Every structure is written in C-alpha cells, then in structure tokens.
Amino acid sequence: TLKATAHVTAVIKDGVRRLIFSFSNPGTNPDAAGNALSFATSFSAANFPATFRKLTPVQLDLVRQFIKERLRPFQEIRTAIDSAAEGIRNRAQFSVGYNATLRKNPGYEDHHFTLIYDQGLTDRISWTVNGAGIVRDRRATDKTKAAKLATEFMGQLTLPQSDLWGRAATTLSFSGEAKWQDRSKPAYTVQAKLTIPIGTGIDLPVVYRYATGIANSNQSSPEAKLGLTIDTGRLMQLLR
C-alpha cells in the first residue's frame, strides 16, 4: 500500500503540473521539443503564482476533479492505518518486572516485583490493573513485606484533534488502590479524575480522592484537587 501511494503521489504531481501548464499555455504541448524549459520554469517558486493566476474557476475545478479521481490509494492506506491503530489500541498488554537493591552487610536489601495488565475495552475505554510486592530484608532483624493492587478505568469523552500535535481528548477515569504492609492497617484509596485540555499541551486535571486506613495522614479524609499540567514537548512542537 505504501509503494502504491508513493507511485500515485508522483503520478498526481506530474499530471497536475501538465494540466495546469496546458491551461495556462493554451495550445502548448509540455512534451514538445523546446518546451521543457518553459514547463520547468512555470513551476518555479518565482513564476508559479503567475502561472496559477491564469487558471479560470472552471479550470481549477477540473484540476480538483483530476486529483479527486486518483485518491483511492490514499483512502486505502488511511483505512489500513486506522485498522492497525484500532487493533493495537484494543489489544491486551501484560508486563512483568523485578528489580533489587543489594547491599553489603550489615545493610539491608530491597526486592520489588511488579505485574501490569492493560486492555482496551473499546476505542475510547481502557482498563489497567497492576500489582506490586516489596520485600525488605533487614538481615540483622527480620523481613518486612508490602503489597499493592490497583486498577483504573479511563475513557475519552471527546476525540483528540486529528493533528499529531493538536489538542488531546477530554478524559474521565475512575481508579482504586489497596495497600498492605506488615504491622500496619490496610490502606484503601478511590479516585475520580477529569482531565480537560484547555490548549495544546495544557491540561486542567480535576481530582476527587477518598482514602482510608492510613494513620496520621491527611489522605484519610476526602480531598479535591485542581491542577494545571503543561507538556513542554507538545508546546515546543506547536511553536516550531
């Protein structure tokens, strides 16, 4: 499909140039001997505006129709890209991770295990669940263990702009997290988050969170947060 598109692009460009030349120079054959230089200079940066102004509205419509009749390969590649993107977006992903911090005696060692599963439920809704386990080996005393399980559902309320660096989609997510640790009460957190793009690379997140089971923490009661996030990468691309 890419090869076909590349070939058609070259054919369309050449055909449009020949059509415009024939309209702007009635009775002149661009392939005739002695016309090659005139044909080339007609489409130079300096001369093309004058060449284009010679076309009548009817001739411009004929040029548009010429291009429209040859767009099928581009429509096919767009369909193929959309289909591939949908397949990737809705495909399940699973990852396993392990890292450790190993110290010499009499220090202690940390072992961290993670599992992450992600699934696109629809074009606009995704589900993620992850679990983690932490083991801290103090050697001289004992081991402490901790575990975490979290999940999130996120959906797009609006579609992102078609431009690669355009405004992102408005998203709404619901998540929950549970933590367990030796000699501590279990801690549970639920959260709702609405992210509103107010410009390219600038988002306004609104968060409501409720946490319980965490002693001596201000997260043990409901809280609401309003923030501002700036993606400098997207802003730089926009300003280029």
Side-chain angles (χ1 to χ4, degrees):
T1 303
L2 287 173
K3 290 182 179 180
T5 304
H7 174 70
V8 171
T9 300
V11 170
I12 291 177
K13 285 182 178 180
D14 183 67
V16 167
R17 288 169 55 134
R18 292 177 180 278
L19 192 59
I20 292 176
F21 183 82
S22 65
F23 286 153
S24 59
N25 299 273
T28 303
N29 183 358
D31 296 321
N35 290 336
L37 180 61
S38 177
F39 177 77
T41 57
S42 294
F43 297 95
S44 66
N47 296 331
F48 180 71
T51 302
F52 189 78
R53 284 194 295 268
K54 293 180 182 180
L55 273 62
T56 67
V58 173
Q59 291 172 337
L60 287 173
D61 286 339
L62 290 174
V63 172
R64 295 189 187 98
Q65 185 64 30
F66 177 88
I67 297 173
K68 185 177 180 180
E69 290 173 352
R70 289 157 177 80
L71 293 181
R72 183 182 180 88
F74 298 95
Q75 295 169 345
E76 291 176 349
I77 195 170
R78 180 58 185 266
T79 301
I81 291 173
D82 291 343
S83 177
E86 182 177 349
I88 294 172
R89 186 185 306 115
N90 295 341
R91 190 172 298 169
Q93 301 179 71
F94 181 72
S95 64
V96 179
Y98 167 74
N99 62 76
T101 302
L102 307 177
R103 301 179 176 91
K104 295 181 179 180
N105 287 328
Y108 55 82
E109 299 180 346
D110 289 327
H111 303 269
H112 195 168
F113 309 85
T114 58
L115 299 173
I116 301 175
Y117 177 81
D118 180 85
Q119 174 73 59
L121 302 179
T122 69
D123 290 346
R124 293 198 183 188
I125 301 175
S126 62
W127 172 52
T128 303
V129 59
N130 62 78
I134 301 173
V135 177
R136 175 164 290 182
D137 187 356
R138 287 187 168 86
R139 296 188 182 183
T141 56
D142 58 2
K143 294 181 180 180
T144 60
K145 302 180 183 67
K148 180 179 72 172
L149 182 65
T151 187
E152 179 185 52
F153 289 88
M154 185 176 71
Q156 293 183 350
L157 302 183
T158 62
L159 291 175
Q161 292 182 346
S162 57
D163 183 6
L164 178 62
W165 301 106
R167 183 177 299 183
T170 299
T171 61
L172 176 64
S173 65
F174 299 94
S175 61
E177 182 182 74
K179 294 181 180 180
W180 300 271
Q181 186 172 337
D182 289 345
R183 297 182 292 275
S184 298
K185 292 182 179 180
Y188 304 99
T189 304
V190 292
Q191 174 180 288
K193 180 179 180 181
L194 176 65
T195 303
I196 305 170
I198 58 178
T200 300
I202 304 176
D203 297 334
L204 185 71
V206 182
V207 178
Y208 175 82
R209 180 185 296 119
Y210 182 83
T212 183
I214 305 177
N216 301 320
S217 172
N218 57 12
Q219 294 185 12
S220 60
S221 60
E223 62 176 347
K225 292 184 178 181
L226 177 65
L228 183 69
T229 62
I230 299 176
D231 187 334
T232 55
R234 295 175 70 88
L235 286 177
M236 291 177 64
Q237 290 293 331
L238 180 66
L239 298 174
R240 289 180 61 180

